[in-house]
Amino acid sequence: MKLLRTVLAAVTSLAAAPALLLLPSGTAEAVPGDVVTAPLSELVASLPVEDEGPRARYSREQFKHWIDADRDGCNTRNEVLLRDAVTAPQITGRCTITVGTGEWRSWYDETTQTTKDDVDIDHMVPLGEAWDSK
């Protein structure tokens, strides 16, 4: 889990970086101490995945989400969609994104979404993981 958090921290700090990253070795082809150049999607795919242990007393409903913290009429999800769009969507009203407008690019799997409902907005550290780390 520590490796995942380290990689996620590196990825978030490089949001405007090109498609290739230089990261310390950790992939199967590398020898300790090597620097590996690879597409982000390959580096993410090479991360180890382990089964989760039990999660005591955690409930997703304990955490409010998609709120309008700054009270500007735009909830968190729409603010992130507007911020991350590579082609800006049309907006009506106070912050309603018009269906079928806008374009979003995924750094993780190098795909492009053109429908806002196909875009996942999530925490850099999932709430359950944060709960386990308290």
Side-chain angles (χ1 to χ4, degrees):
M1 186 48 61
K2 188 173 185 179
L3 173 63
L4 177 58
R5 289 183 187 132
T6 301
V7 172
L8 286 176
V11 169
T12 57
S13 66
L14 297 172
L20 297 179
L21 298 176
L22 292 175
L23 294 176
S25 64
T27 61
E29 306 86 32
V31 178
D34 284 351
V35 173
V36 177
T37 303
L40 178 60
S41 59
E42 287 180 25
L43 294 172
V44 170
S46 72
L47 292 172
V49 177
E50 296 180 15
D51 290 335
E52 292 285 340
R55 184 165 283 148
R57 298 182 310 271
Y58 167 77
S59 170
R60 176 76 169 95
E61 287 73 37
Q62 293 173 305
F63 300 91
K64 293 182 180 180
H65 59 286
W66 306 145
I67 61 172
D68 181 9
D70 58 7
R71 300 179 194 272
D72 66 351
C74 198
N75 70 29
T76 306
R77 177 176 169 73
N78 283 353
E79 288 192 17
V80 172
L81 286 169
L82 293 171
R83 181 195 70 196
D84 292 350
V86 293
T87 302
Q90 295 175 2
I91 303 168
T92 60
R94 291 192 64 193
C95 192
T96 302
I97 296 175
T98 305
V99 176
T101 67
E103 184 174 286
W104 296 268
R105 182 87 175 137
S106 170
W107 287 87
Y108 299 102
D109 59 5
E110 300 174 3
T111 60
T112 299
Q113 290 78 35
T114 56
T115 303
K116 67 178 181 149
D117 294 336
D118 290 341
V119 179
D120 287 326
I121 306 297
D122 212 338
H123 309 274
M124 292 313 297
V125 176
L127 290 175
E129 296 296 333
W131 180 268
D132 291 344
S133 300
K134 65 180 179 164

